[in-house]
Amino acid sequence: MIKYLLRRLGYGIAVLVGVNLLTFFLFFSVNTPDDMARLNIGGKRVTQEQIEKWKTERGYDKPLYYDAAQAGSQKFTHTILWERSISLMLLDFGRSDARQAVNIGHEVKVRMGVSLQLAVPLFVLQVIVSTAFALLLVFFRHTRIDFWGVVLCVLMLSISSLFYIIVGQYFFSRLLRLVPIGGYEPGLDAIKFLALPIVLSLLSRLGGEARLYRAMFLEEVGKDYVRTARAKGLSEPVVLFRHVLRNALIPIITSAGSYLPYVFLGSLVFESFFGIPGLGAFIIEAISGQDFAIVRTMVFLGAALYVASNALIDLAYTWVDPRVRLS
Amino acid sequence: MSSFKIVVLWTDVALWAMFAALLGYLLRILRQPHVRVTWARVLRDAASCCAGVVLLLFMAVTLLDSLHFRRALDGAEGAGATGQQFYSTRTESLLDLLLVRQVAMRETSYSAPLAYQGFNKDNISEGGEVRRDYPRLQFGGAHLRLPAEQWAGDVLGRALRGLAWGLLAVLLLGLAMTAALAAGHGGWRRALQDLLRDRTHYPLRAVLLTLAVTALLSGPSIALMDHYHVFGTDRTGNDVLYQALKSIRTAFVIGALSTLATLPLALVLGILAGYFKGWVDELIQYLYTLLTSVPNVLLIAACVLMVQVFLDKNPDLFETGVERADLKMFLLCLILGVTGWATLCRLIRGETLKLRELDYVQAATAFGVGPLRIMWRHIVPNVMHLVLITTVLSFSDLILYEAVLTYVGVGVDPGMNSFGGMINLARAEMSRDPLVWWSFAAAFGFMVSLVLAANLFADGVRDAFDPRARSLRPRVLGLAKTRKA
């Protein structure tokens, strides 16, 4: 077990190093710090002096990979690659490129809390609702309910989430005036701002998820132990809830677990549509403002969350199925 | 002197190449009996057949919109001092030629569907007197002299005429189908009866119904669109129907080319990893873990930001704005391909691991056949069904993804018509009072029918090529009708 975890950790670190190298290559080699400076300062005529000043302020005035002017190991450590990688690995994200006043680490901490308020209830509700809907369809398999349920799923997953948002906002916020159209307030007041995004997000994913879960349940329903259970005289609900559901947990965990990084990173579209100041909105702002420091940080953070959630999923396997041994 | 210059855009080349490849694949299907049988299964499923018809219609629009040219400028402004011919900066396509009237019917601002007057009140000066009223549209309903009285009758009359033409087309189609069936079904009467009662080998009645719905919807639209804006106009007065039709190509390009772009990497790396195992496998697994570990939108955003800088630095790669937007979209497809191959690669790796242990591969190895040849002859054909299923399944996902990416700001060029762009504008329009709903409705209608058709077709293909998926298909016991020849 310990050995497995250590190996897992090593692999995770290797992935993070790779992601870091990849983003570094994308952000510093494909487009040099000079380009970034020009883009960020803006305007037609940008003097070399301005560029140098911009680079010095942000610590980009060093060679990228190798500094021949330095002695010994400083040849490698006195470079942008080394400094940026080390600071990222130590979770010191530095400051935004475009607005020096913005401390990325602080922003991430504050905004992740907001994102979690939206994403945690959503995550829990999504698993419950999709499972319930899928179980319903499986319970009524070979009937019209199942058929039309699947048709509904296909229809729902063919509609872009943007449509759900626009229609939902129009209907619930403008016509019925049940909830505000957007915005956010900390504390308990947040509920009225978060209710609509949660419901709409749930709806927009329900079609795909429910269909997937239905397939997993049907796979299990065809197995021998289910026939045995029925032969023992168990009722259909007991078979479904006690036997099928429990055995289908592993694929459900796999599929739900793939959302885990996004629970922390927040939903880009929903947060920006509803004006919720979470991490997703932060990312959108950074992309539209071409703020490379923030995008780079978020890529790294996303990868770290992915590695962590994969480890969590593995641990969850051992918990739901004692036969699974980590080694 | 009205000549023109053909403009070859990147995505045009790619689309036509893909079309040629599809035709090639079709010929191959016809020659290989076992693949033909599987495809016949797709065709015998009513839902996927109808979806296929809809997809073909969308594809026809896409291909029409993929032949671009620029008109030569006439006279003094066209011919420079050196006798050099200059061309208009506007790039047009064959679709634009067909819709030339809709392009020309440009109003000044919003107007509701089929309206004859503007959506917003404006100052109108009439004989020195200024009053505030809804202005008449420049083109929509411009032929009416007394619009208030004539409008309803005119619209209804035109719509009915269009409907009649549509009905005629449907009848002709039905007749053609009956004629084709007549020989095999013992006479015209029997053929017609079988067609109407859905007793044909292929679900022809469903196909006829799909075509009928299309004809009955497009008949009135075509009849009306020369004199009215069927889906209204947007903020700058452009016809919304025209925009929706142009957006089809964008969606198609993103869906098809990005999927295609994933194939080489996924196929080559997946087979290499599965066949050689060992360190090759480890390396390739590391590569795709790397890619999947970064949230997709972020990775794409990072790449697109880089492409933006690249395009800004090399302005001589393109001549007009359209070419720039097109190159950007082409690169976006490549990015989507390079960032999205992991899923398929993992599937192919797993399948190859299984295949390489099979007897015929072992036998080939024992005979001294080289690894390259084994992979090409024995493994590639046997993972093709996975490739096919994944390709058709991801097509619709990518169309949906395009809208989100365009919303986030890393999608297609804002100057290019796309569903994402339309939704983005519609978002502001939906918060206006009174409501401007038609852009949104048009984008919704076209996009949902495209994606739904793609999804249904993909399901049909998956059911036909993957026996396990077939058992998951919802069936109503007792109602299940088996189609007999």
Side-chain angles (χ1 to χ4, degrees), chain A residues 18-37:
Chain A
V19 167
N20 183 36
L21 283 178
L22 180 78
T23 45
F24 188 85
F25 175 76
L26 270 178
F27 282 100
F28 286 95
S29 282
V30 177
N31 114 356
T32 59
D34 283 37
D35 297 327
M36 275 193 271

Side-chain angles (χ1 to χ4, degrees), chain A residues 11 14-19 22 26-27 30-32 35 39 141-144 146-147 150 154-155 157-163 166-167 169-170 174 211 214-215 218-219 262 265 268-269 272-273 283-284 286-288 290 292 295 298-299 302-303 306-307, chain B residues 282 285-286 289-299 301-303 305-306 308-309 312-313 346 393 400 403-404 407-410 420 423 426-427 430-433 435 440 443-444 447-448 451-452 455-456 459 462 468 471-477 479:
Chain A
Y11 199 72
V15 166
L16 286 184
V17 169
V19 167
L22 180 78
L26 270 178
F27 282 100
V30 177
N31 114 356
T32 59
D35 297 327
L39 209 65
R141 63 185 177 283
H142 303 317
T143 67
R144 277 165 208 260
D146 180 31
F147 180 82
V150 173
V154 176
L155 193 67
L157 70 92
S158 301
I159 299 175
S160 167
S161 56
L162 299 173
F163 288 125
I166 294 178
V167 172
Q169 250 180 354
Y170 174 73
R174 281 200 58 203
R211 199 168 72 141
R214 174 185 170 274
L218 278 184
E219 198 110 307
Y262 295 95
L265 282 184
L268 268 69
V269 175
S272 75
F273 248 100
I283 294 172
I284 292 217
I287 290 172
S288 56
Q290 306 197 313
F292 298 105
V295 177
M298 298 315 290
V299 168
Y306 175 83
V307 170
Chain B
E282 292 286 334
Q285 277 194 63
Y286 176 72
T289 316
L290 206 65
L291 277 182
T292 40
S293 69
V294 183
N296 224 329
V297 180
L298 274 174
L299 192 58
C303 295
L305 286 181
M306 299 306 106
Q308 201 100 9
V309 176
D312 288 343
K313 267 200 293 194
R346 190 177 295 145
L393 280 176
L400 291 178
V404 171
Y407 173 75
V408 175
V410 291
I423 298 172
R427 188 193 162 201
M430 290 292 281
S431 55
R432 285 175 66 106
D433 202 35
L435 184 69
F440 180 76
F444 180 82
M447 196 172 165
V448 170
V451 176
L452 188 62
N455 271 331
L456 288 176
D459 284 351
R462 194 188 45 188
R468 237 185 50 197
S471 64
L472 301 178
R473 178 152 261 227
R475 268 188 315 260
V476 182
L477 278 189
L479 278 178

Side-chain angles (χ1 to χ4, degrees), chain A residues 16-17 20-21 23-24 28 64 79-92 296 300:
Chain A
L16 286 184
V17 169
N20 183 36
L21 283 178
T23 45
F24 188 85
F28 286 95
L64 285 179
T79 55
I80 303 181
L81 172 66
W82 181 261
E83 287 185 356
R84 294 289 135 179
S85 311
I86 289 302
S87 65
L88 266 188
M89 290 286 175
L90 295 176
L91 298 185
D92 167 24
R296 210 172 53 234
F300 182 80

Side-chain angles (χ1 to χ4, degrees), chain A residues 115-159:
Chain A
S115 283
L116 283 174
Q117 281 186 345
L118 175 65
V120 170
L122 174 64
F123 181 76
V124 175
L125 279 175
Q126 194 196 333
V127 174
I128 294 174
V129 172
S130 307
T131 313
F133 192 56
L135 274 177
L136 185 84
L137 294 184
V138 173
F139 184 76
F140 287 107
R141 63 185 177 283
H142 303 317
T143 67
R144 277 165 208 260
I145 294 178
D146 180 31
F147 180 82
W148 289 107
V150 173
V151 170
L152 184 71
C153 283
V154 176
L155 193 67
M156 280 175 83
L157 70 92
S158 301
I159 299 175

